[in-house]
Amino acid sequence: MFEKSNAIYRRLTAEESETKLKHNIQLYRINGLDIPFSPTWKRIGINLSGGADSACLAYLLCKIIKENNIDCKIDVITHVRCWTTRPWQQPISIDVFVELKNMFPNIISNRHENFITPELEHGVSGLIFRDLVYKDMMRSGDQVSVAGYNQYCVYRYKLNAIFNATTQNPPNTDFPKKMNDREKLVDDGILRDLIIENAGVFLCHPFRFVDKSWVIAQYHLFKITDLLNTTRSCEGDVSHKRIKPTIPDHTNYTPKMSVPECGDCFWCLEKDWAKSKLEETLDKLKNV
Ligand SMILES: [Zn+2]
């Protein structure tokens, strides 16, 4: 499992090898997957949405820090989106943060909140900003805001790295609204897909070639299904027929309220797919 993606970390140019050595980047293997980390890092950030992928990665990073006695804190960065259509997203991200902090009080440190006004979302205003580096590419307002706030946090809180838990689309499925940036196959993978260094700060995407079945299996292997149950991945909104009867609009929602899952968005289908693969995945993981 993950032989191909783990190998990407080991195919380095002379310059990349020098960077690895200079920053003492190590690989920590968890259930087959290599996760890069440096024992010299003092404070890192993780993008925590309130969904299952980012909560899982936050847990695994805490585990690496704790088990290797690394003196490093984790700041949680949440980009609050769609406050009028999915008003539960921000309170759920706080619940996940609190649960992680209870599990790892000496590691999980501060929570930083970015606010993205709905008008900037790709679905509302499209690709309206030219990329500052890749001049032939356009970006949506939400993408620019996420990248900009991450950069600001690096500067403001002196972060050594930021982790993002974007996973790969499930193989051999054709769920509606699959995102293209999650389609890349490991055979086409390069180091930049997994880890990028810029001025001594690292951006890490260790789940780039990991699908949801592995993520859901971690919750079972580490007996943290309570954390899984706190997360919410569904992107159904207040207009959905299964949600509207309970919460017709954002003014009807109060934190801790139970919100039905829509059952037909990409994230619901992906989660059901991962759950259906659970036994098979746990079996595969016995041999890694
Ligand atoms: Zn859904």
Side-chain angles (χ1 to χ4, degrees):
M1 216 173 201
F2 304 124
E3 287 82 4
K4 285 181 179 176
S5 63
N6 290 342
I8 296 172
Y9 289 113
R10 292 168 176 81
R11 281 197 305 270
L12 304 178
T13 62
E15 198 183 336
E16 288 162 353
S17 295
E18 203 177 301
T19 304
K20 181 176 184 256
L21 208 63
K22 184 179 170 193
H23 295 276
N24 194 13
I25 305 293
Q26 310 280 324
L27 295 169
Y28 296 85
R29 187 165 291 185
I30 297 181
N31 289 313
L33 182 73
D34 281 348
I35 297 180
F37 206 93
S38 171
T40 67
W41 289 343
K42 295 291 172 217
R43 185 172 292 272
I44 61 164
I46 179 164
N47 286 157
L48 192 91
S49 61
D53 298 336
S54 54
C56 174
L57 182 56
Y59 175 85
L60 298 180
L61 293 174
C62 287
K63 209 170 141 56
I64 289 171
I65 290 171
K66 192 175 175 180
E67 289 178 359
N68 296 282
N69 282 318
I70 299 172
D71 178 20
C72 182
K73 304 280 185 212
I74 298 181
D75 277 7
V76 159
I77 301 169
T78 296
H79 304 277
V80 175
R81 305 169 66 165
C82 306
W83 69 280
T84 50
T85 47
R86 293 199 294 271
W88 44 83
Q89 193 240 26
Q90 188 262 10
I92 288 173
S93 75
I94 293 178
D95 291 346
V96 174
F97 167 73
V98 168
E99 205 161 322
L100 285 163
K101 203 171 170 69
N102 287 339
M103 292 162 108
F104 299 99
N106 300 321
I107 298 173
I108 296 288
S109 184
N110 302 314
R111 179 179 178 277
H112 311 298
E113 190 173 294
N114 179 25
F115 169 74
I116 301 178
T117 193
E119 289 84 347
L120 288 177
E121 291 290 338
H122 178 251
V124 178
S125 48
L127 302 168
I128 51 174
F129 294 97
R130 189 163 296 281
D131 191 280
L132 296 176
V133 179
Y134 303 101
K135 304 274 186 203
D136 56 336
M137 287 181 75
M138 297 298 284
R139 303 279 179 207
S140 59
D142 58 287
Q143 284 177 323
V144 168
S145 180
V146 164
Y149 191 69
N150 280 343
Q151 273 182 349
Y152 174 70
C153 285
V154 164
Y155 158 78
R156 176 79 174 77
Y157 307 111
K158 297 184 171 53
L159 306 180
N160 300 113
I162 288 196
F163 280 77
N164 179 291
T166 302
T167 52
Q168 191 176 41
N169 282 331
N172 309 317
T173 58
D174 194 20
F175 300 145
K177 289 190 191 167
K178 270 178 136 181
M179 279 143 296
N180 284 336
D181 64 340
R182 304 175 77 226
E183 278 287 85
K184 192 166 189 176
L185 299 173
V186 69
D187 287 332
D188 304 322
I190 55 171
L191 191 66
R192 283 185 66 84
D193 296 324
L194 297 171
I195 183 167
I196 305 169
E197 183 261 351
N198 184 21
V201 178
F202 292 81
L203 177 61
C204 305
H205 284 97
F207 287 178
R208 179 81 73 180
F209 302 111
V210 174
D211 68 44
K212 189 74 135 228
S213 65
W214 186 88
V215 170
I216 297 296
Q218 304 314 302
Y219 285 100
H220 291 267
L221 287 166
F222 294 119
K223 300 185 171 45
I224 49 165
T225 49
D226 282 355
L227 179 63
L228 176 63
N229 293 333
T230 305
T231 69
R232 180 181 175 90
S233 301
C234 171
E235 290 206 349
D237 64 29
V238 287
S239 66
H240 193 279
K241 61 178 186 298
R242 289 203 184 94
I243 299 171
K244 203 179 171 69
T246 323
I247 304 161
D249 71 50
H250 63 285
T251 59
N252 305 105
Y253 174 77
T254 48
K256 309 286 182 198
M257 210 169 160
S258 161
V259 186
E261 289 192 342
C262 83
D264 52 27
C265 71
F266 170 83
W267 302 96
C268 280
L269 297 175
E270 188 195 41
K271 207 169 172 180
D272 288 346
W273 172 87
K275 283 180 181 168
S276 76
K277 294 265 175 193
L278 183 60
E279 291 309 317
E280 189 187 316
T281 310
L282 291 174
D283 253 5
K284 274 191 215 163
L285 288 172
K286 280 181 191 155
N287 304 314
V288 297

